[in-house]
Amino acid sequence: MSYYELATLDTVIFGAGAASPGIQEWIAGGSGTFLGAWGTDIGSLNRVFLLRGFDSLEEMMTERERALMSADPFGCTEQLVRLTMESYRALDFMPPVKPGAHGPVYEFRTYRTKINGIRELVEKWRDAVPGREEYSKLSAAFYGLDGEPRLTQIWPYESLAARAEARAASVNDGKWPPKDGPASLMPEMTSQIAMPLPFSPMT
């Protein structure tokens, strides 16, 4: 499983609960591996993240077209105000994303890279991630196949306090960020904290 779709569903206020039954039915009727569903708690609110994995680009694009041509994509258009579907490929040294109890606090971080920055950034991460994972595990890291050049990561933590502790310690110990990593990045970066929804395979 090398390809991933991260769908972002921006809902009406408190819309995640009302949207959940339709989302579950939509996912059950499609292909790929359903990996996680989260609702944002810090950052952009009223937002749902859905992560699915695919064995091929063709399989992912078939699912993308199913959504684009549907009269009710993800089964919840009455609750949606915006829908974004992004395509990603996993960094080649990362294992496949696995369901299970990893959180329950998840940080979604996206770095915009320089136009030609993906290749060198991946190599810097290859060297640095093992050391960073001594402080907290990394659930996913992948680069965008559409839109702006970018690297998106999903970091699980036991709590917000554990997140702060791991980040501070890894920086203080010189294990993070990757050496010269910021040189490959643009200033635009985002970080959002999300919690698993009741039907999420990752909790």
Side-chain angles (χ1 to χ4, degrees):
M1 186 166 54
S2 299
Y3 299 94
Y4 296 88
E5 178 187 79
L6 183 62
T8 302
L9 287 65
D10 289 310
T11 74
V12 297
I13 297 174
F14 304 127
S20 291
I23 292 172
Q24 293 177 76
E25 184 176 351
W26 172 269
I27 290 173
S31 63
T33 302
F34 178 38
L35 296 168
W38 299 266
T40 51
D41 187 64
I42 298 175
S44 297
L45 301 180
N46 303 304
R47 173 167 285 179
V48 172
F49 292 126
L50 299 174
L51 181 66
R52 291 186 292 171
F54 299 91
D55 292 327
S56 70
L57 193 58
E58 180 180 9
E59 183 186 25
M60 184 167 63
M61 288 300 101
T62 297
E63 271 298 283
R64 180 69 49 80
E65 189 168 11
R66 181 170 79 102
L68 291 172
M69 298 302 293
S70 174
D72 189 19
F74 291 90
C76 60
T77 51
E78 290 187 2
Q79 285 79 40
L80 293 184
V81 296
R82 184 179 299 106
L83 170 62
T84 305
M85 296 171 285
E86 297 178 310
S87 305
Y88 287 94
R89 185 159 190 169
L91 304 191
D92 59 8
F93 61 87
M94 290 291 298
V97 179
K98 295 181 179 180
H102 307 292
V105 173
Y106 286 79
E107 181 180 19
F108 288 72
R109 294 179 72 87
T110 295
Y111 298 153
R112 307 296 175 185
T113 72
K114 292 183 177 179
I115 292 173
N116 62 345
I118 291 291
R119 179 186 294 272
E120 65 179 22
L121 188 63
V122 169
E123 294 308 312
K124 293 171 183 177
W125 272 58
R126 188 191 309 277
D127 294 337
V129 164
R132 174 60 176 82
E133 287 197 304
E134 295 174 6
Y135 302 85
S136 64
K137 290 295 182 180
L138 175 61
S139 284
F142 26 58
Y143 59 88
L145 296 175
D146 48 18
E148 294 182 275
R150 67 195 183 281
L151 180 74
T152 291
Q153 319 127 61
I154 304 175
W155 297 88
Y157 296 97
E158 294 180 359
S159 65
L160 287 174
R163 170 187 174 272
E165 181 178 347
R167 288 180 55 80
S170 62
V171 172
N172 289 338
D173 294 345
K175 295 294 184 71
W176 200 256
K179 184 178 180 180
D180 298 325
S184 304
L185 302 176
M186 300 296 285
E188 297 87 355
M189 303 176 180
T190 61
S191 174
Q192 298 179 83
I193 300 295
M195 311 300 186
L197 295 176
F199 62 95
S200 177
M202 293 178 71
T203 58

